[in-house]
Amino acid sequence: MSSFDFIPNKEQLDILALASPFALQIYQKHTQRAEAFLGEFGFGTPMTRADFDGLVRRFVGLGTTYYLDSINEEMVMQGLRELRRFLMLKWIWQDALAVITLEDLTRELSDFADSCISFSKDFVYHKLTNRYGDPIIRRKTKQLKDELAIIAMGKLGARELNLSSDIDLIFVHIDNGDTDGKKCIDSHKFMRDLGRGVIKLLDENTEHGFVFRVDMRLRPWGDGSPLVLHLQALEKYFNQHGRTWERFAWLKARVVNDISDEFATQLRQITKNFVHRYYIDYSAFSALREMKAMIINQQTQRQDLDNVKLGVGGIRDIEFIVQAFALIYGGHHVRIAEHPACLECMQVLTELGYIDAEESKQLSSAYRFLRRLEHAIQARHDNQTQRLPSDADELLAIAQTLGFESVSSFRSVLDAHRQNVSRPFGRMVIDRQSPKQESLNAEQIGESLHETLGDDAMAQLDEFMNSRLVGSLDDVSKER
């Protein structure tokens, strides 16, 4: 990749100033380094995960050798934050100039997050093993080294991160054990310290800012629960306590860091069994209705039409449409489960006939518009928000960044996209009339069933109903 100083022209600088006072300040304060950085990577060439891995090593102070003892925590924290600063300048400028696609922007943001997470994990792990030794699981026939899987959820999990996203993470290790160093600790404490170390490197706000805000609330039991859990505990939680909204959340789950094939296979199987059903999952309909009702109630209470994510016809409504189909049919069609990103999954659902082609086109167009608007809002001042500003000058700047001459013309297009989202959202998992319970006579049904099935089949049915499998189901499943 060639390296040369990037000297912007007046038009490019004016566009940056209009789009983002935050990014303009970075450029003005660090002009020489910014121009060298932009000259190296340019605006027209997509960046790869390998590019980000190399940049992370360079900015934290590692040379050509990957010798982690040569750097300390302060160097890592400062380096990652400085790298984010120049990348944010690059991405915001590219987006404002409309020289990067939504898919490339969100993928690069996600690849950068993956690089930061993986490097942070390796750095903290190295420091902990120097002190405590390796975490070891001791079993009857063998010993194996414990591992931590850092699971990305939500937008990072689907590689569609935005300019100011939180990153939702879950930490899972293989099993309990202890370390083999001179100072021995149990592996749960080791993994907890490892997780805390990763969060600190990424999330802590220093004089140089932060890298990513880390949200751990999607883990089993949420806030107040252990930061890290092992495989068996995760599987037990899914089987006994996992709720449909959590299946919804785990649709986009993805392991970020390198782990062994065996661990990856076990984790993938446990997750797949929880999220997807091979059969068409009609049992999820009632829970999806509840989730849709919750979304509508929140929108009604908030009355926040200026929220492009949570408002009526916003990004969340599009994601609900796509993820509801994915949850119901994902186990039946492997292609759906293999494409968790919203636009990709929508395309697969359209090809399979679950979403009408014309509506899919409208939803895709709305999604692209709303995500680019979301980026324009966040780029202004590096704020984590999806609300249109109330200040008239700020709103006009956003409208003009998106190519509109006036706020009114911008609002007109925004409202049209929202309407195109609201129509299919309104038809999703609507309430159905349930049969009246008093009309069902259990004794008559039993007699009719016995006549239809005969003695042998009824005996098999009785055996099934009294089996350990049925007995282990929760009350809702038994009733169903």
Side-chain angles (χ1 to χ4, degrees), residues 73 323 341 364 467:
E73 184 180 86
Q323 288 178 277
S364 296
S467 67

Side-chain angles (χ1 to χ4, degrees), residues 321-453:
I321 293 170
V322 174
Q323 288 178 277
F325 279 115
L327 187 66
I328 295 167
Y329 299 108
H332 194 61
H333 297 284
V334 176
R335 288 177 61 205
I336 297 175
E338 289 176 343
H339 294 84
C342 188
L343 288 174
E344 291 179 5
C345 190
M346 192 187 306
Q347 180 62 36
V348 173
L349 291 167
T350 305
E351 292 171 3
L352 293 171
Y354 293 116
I355 298 180
D356 175 78
E358 182 59 30
E359 284 192 343
S360 175
K361 184 177 178 181
Q362 293 176 344
L363 288 170
S364 296
S365 179
Y367 183 81
R368 292 178 188 280
F369 179 86
L370 292 169
R371 286 299 303 271
R372 185 150 187 250
L373 172 55
E374 178 184 46
H375 288 157
I377 294 169
Q378 295 172 344
R380 291 288 297 164
H381 305 288
D382 194 28
N383 288 336
Q384 187 189 25
T385 179
Q386 289 87 15
R387 292 193 77 254
L388 293 172
S390 56
D391 181 85
D393 291 337
E394 286 280 313
L395 186 56
L396 178 60
I398 288 172
Q400 291 176 337
T401 297
L402 295 174
F404 296 92
E405 294 183 358
S406 66
V407 171
S408 60
S409 60
F410 157 72
R411 286 277 194 186
S412 177
V413 173
L414 173 60
D415 290 343
H417 282 304
R418 281 174 163 164
Q419 290 173 11
N420 287 339
V421 174
S422 293
R423 284 192 296 271
F425 177 78
R427 294 197 304 271
M428 289 295 296
V429 288
I430 57 176
D431 290 332
R432 308 290 178 103
Q433 291 294 326
S434 299
K436 294 182 179 179
Q437 294 299 316
E438 57 265 29
S439 66
L440 301 177
N441 185 302
E443 187 175 342
Q444 291 178 354
I445 291 174
E447 292 175 358
S448 174
L449 192 62
H450 192 238
E451 291 176 4
T452 303
L453 296 179

Side-chain angles (χ1 to χ4, degrees), residues 252-268:
K252 296 185 177 184
R254 176 177 62 88
V255 178
V256 170
N257 59 306
D258 292 332
I259 57 175
S260 65
D261 291 342
E262 182 180 357
F263 185 21
T265 300
Q266 291 175 312
L267 192 52
R268 185 165 50 248

Side-chain angles (χ1 to χ4, degrees), residues 41-53:
F41 292 97
F43 281 162
T45 305
M47 295 181 69
T48 67
R49 169 65 190 272
D51 291 329
F52 294 117
D53 287 344

Side-chain angles (χ1 to χ4, degrees), residues 11 43 59 76 81 136 142 146 214 217 229 269 281-282 297 320 348 373 383 405 408 441 475:
E11 182 183 2
F43 281 162
F59 270 72
V76 173
R81 283 151 181 77
I136 302 297
K142 63 177 181 178
D146 200 1
V214 179
R217 290 176 295 177
L229 74 164
Q269 192 62 47
D281 191 7
Y282 295 105
N297 289 338
F320 178 84
V348 173
L373 172 55
N383 288 336
E405 294 183 358
S408 60
N441 185 302
D475 292 339

Side-chain angles (χ1 to χ4, degrees), residues 59-70:
F59 270 72
V60 301
L62 283 174
T64 55
T65 59
Y66 199 72
Y67 186 56
L68 291 174
D69 284 325
S70 65

